[in-house]
Amino acid sequence: MARPFGFTYTQLGDDTVTISHRGRAAGTLRGTRAEKFLAEVGSGDAQMVMARWTGAYKFGNERVARNHPRNR
């Protein structure tokens, strides 16, 4: 699985966090979810955390799906 890259986040004054991927908005978190996100991004791999929170990460089955007869 390729490592995610291109994610950035911005923390706004009203406790809102906006996550962007390659300059496009990928998600907005508010309240408790924003607090949990900030705690997690500070303690781990920030790119992987942002990819997981936005749902923009690979699941590991792409190669198998590509070889399926239906997808040829």
Side-chain angles (χ1 to χ4, degrees), residues 2-71:
R3 295 189 42 80
F5 64 93
F7 287 96
T8 58
Y9 72 93
T10 306
Q11 184 177 2
L12 303 175
D14 61 348
D15 295 332
T16 300
V17 175
T18 303
I19 303 172
S20 301
H21 184 247
R22 297 184 180 178
R24 293 182 145 180
T28 303
L29 306 171
R30 293 179 180 88
T32 310
R33 294 192 67 198
E35 291 173 12
K36 288 180 183 178
F37 168 78
L38 291 171
E40 192 172 334
V41 81
S43 66
D45 179 18
Q47 292 293 307
M48 185 62 85
V49 171
M50 287 185 272
R52 192 167 43 79
W53 275 80
T54 59
Y57 62 98
K58 297 194 181 281
F59 296 95
N61 63 350
E62 290 80 12
R63 184 176 299 152
V64 175
R66 182 177 53 218
N67 294 332
H68 191 276
R70 175 184 61 223
N71 297 327

